[in-house]
Amino acid sequence: MKIQILGTAAAEGFPGIFCNCKHCKKARELGGKNIRTRSSTIIDDTLKIDFPPDTYHHVLTHNLDLSKVEHLLFTHTHMDHFNPKDLGMRTPGFAHDFPYPLHIYGHDAAIYKCKEVLWHTEGYFSFTLMQPFTTYQVGTAKVTPLLADHNPLETCLLFYIEKDGKRVFHGHDTGWFPESTWEWLRDKKIDVAILDCTNGLLPGRRNHLNIEAVLDIQKVFLERNMLTENGQVIATHFSHNIGLMHKDLEEIFAPSGIKVAYDGIVLET
Ligand SMILES: [Zn+2]
Ligand SMILES: [Zn+2]
Ligand SMILES: [Zn+2]
């Protein structure tokens, strides 16, 4: 399985789209892996998680062929994950030579808001309203949405994805997982876990996680024997407020073996 993380920043991007703080200035100056765009991950080129405003940039930068994407999962509708108006470009007149429909999956707010902007494109999209802790067949993958601790105004989802004998846990945006999610995960195996690290060394593990919480989650995974032999834990979704450059994050996480994501990183499992 090939997993590519396309965007690894929090909502504002890094450097922040309008920000002039010292961290953003430093990131601009250093460039490279310090430049982070808004969140998305793509699995085997066909299954995409989230559709951020930086999607077109991702297509150009990473030479993506989005016509291959048949299934799109939405975690939630914060703007850094959700820009459904651009999906209107996947209709006749704007795009050619791929099969319809694009299958879109998400919970309440995501499906509602997608239907609001894609109302004139019926037939080109199919919608599945996902219920947490129910397993869905998504192409050749099995996807189980789990509850996040994120925006209390909508149902935000984490995803446990099983495909070709491998298991990916997509764990952001979220704070410390709700008990029901921990309970569901109890006996599960994980080959790759992608975790929220928005808060860096700042305190706080509600709505988003920080470095300490990511390390604690890895500890629980190890204690419960959930990670497979070559199991990888990846930290992503970093806020500019934490002021940590890619190298700083790598140094902090080195003793734990946790990998620090950067835009375009490809993980094989
Ligand atoms: Zn986010
Ligand atoms: Zn800044
Ligand atoms: Zn969010």
Side-chain angles (χ1 to χ4, degrees), residues 100-194:
Y100 292 111
L102 173 68
H103 302 282
I104 297 175
Y105 308 79
H107 199 42
D108 35 31
I111 296 300
Y112 184 87
K113 291 183 187 180
C114 272
K115 284 193 166 187
E116 243 177 2
V117 297
L118 299 171
W119 62 273
H120 59 297
T121 54
E122 215 165 303
Y124 305 127
F125 303 95
S126 80
F127 298 98
T128 301
L129 177 63
M130 287 182 137
Q131 299 301 334
F133 309 111
T134 302
T135 301
Y136 296 82
Q137 191 72 43
V138 175
T140 61
K142 279 192 165 62
V143 178
T144 309
L146 311 174
L147 285 177
D149 166 36
H150 192 46
N151 177 6
L153 295 177
E154 67 171 293
T155 309
C156 301
L157 301 176
L158 312 175
F159 295 115
Y160 183 82
I161 299 169
E162 302 162 82
K163 187 173 186 291
D164 303 333
K166 299 290 181 178
R167 286 119 322 170
V168 178
F169 173 60
H170 187 271
H172 71 92
D173 291 2
T174 187
W176 190 257
F177 311 144
E179 206 38 56
S180 53
T181 292
W182 275 120
E183 196 47 48
W184 191 92
L185 282 171
R186 179 164 286 280
D187 304 315
K188 300 296 184 294
K189 291 288 180 193
I190 295 174
D191 293 286
V192 175
I194 305 170

Side-chain angles (χ1 to χ4, degrees), residues 80-81 173 237:
D80 54 320
H81 301 252
D173 291 2
H237 199 280

Side-chain angles (χ1 to χ4, degrees), residues 60-132:
L60 298 177
T61 307
H62 306 298
N63 197 24
L64 302 181
D65 179 357
L66 281 196
S67 74
K68 288 185 186 162
V69 173
E70 296 164 23
H71 304 277
L72 175 59
L73 307 174
F74 277 119
T75 56
H76 64 306
T77 67
H78 279 158
M79 57 68 72
D80 54 320
H81 301 252
F82 188 78
N83 182 33
K85 281 186 178 170
D86 258 359
L87 291 171
M89 296 299 101
R90 196 189 191 280
T91 54
F94 300 107
H96 307 279
D97 302 332
F98 50 80
Y100 292 111
L102 173 68
H103 302 282
I104 297 175
Y105 308 79
H107 199 42
D108 35 31
I111 296 300
Y112 184 87
K113 291 183 187 180
C114 272
K115 284 193 166 187
E116 243 177 2
V117 297
L118 299 171
W119 62 273
H120 59 297
T121 54
E122 215 165 303
Y124 305 127
F125 303 95
S126 80
F127 298 98
T128 301
L129 177 63
M130 287 182 137
Q131 299 301 334

Side-chain angles (χ1 to χ4, degrees), residues 14 47 63 80 93 103 106-107 134 160 196 209 221 226 245:
F14 193 41
L47 171 59
N63 197 24
D80 54 320
H103 302 282
H107 199 42
T134 302
Y160 183 82
D196 190 308
L209 297 168
F221 285 170
M226 290 164 67
M245 300 298 122

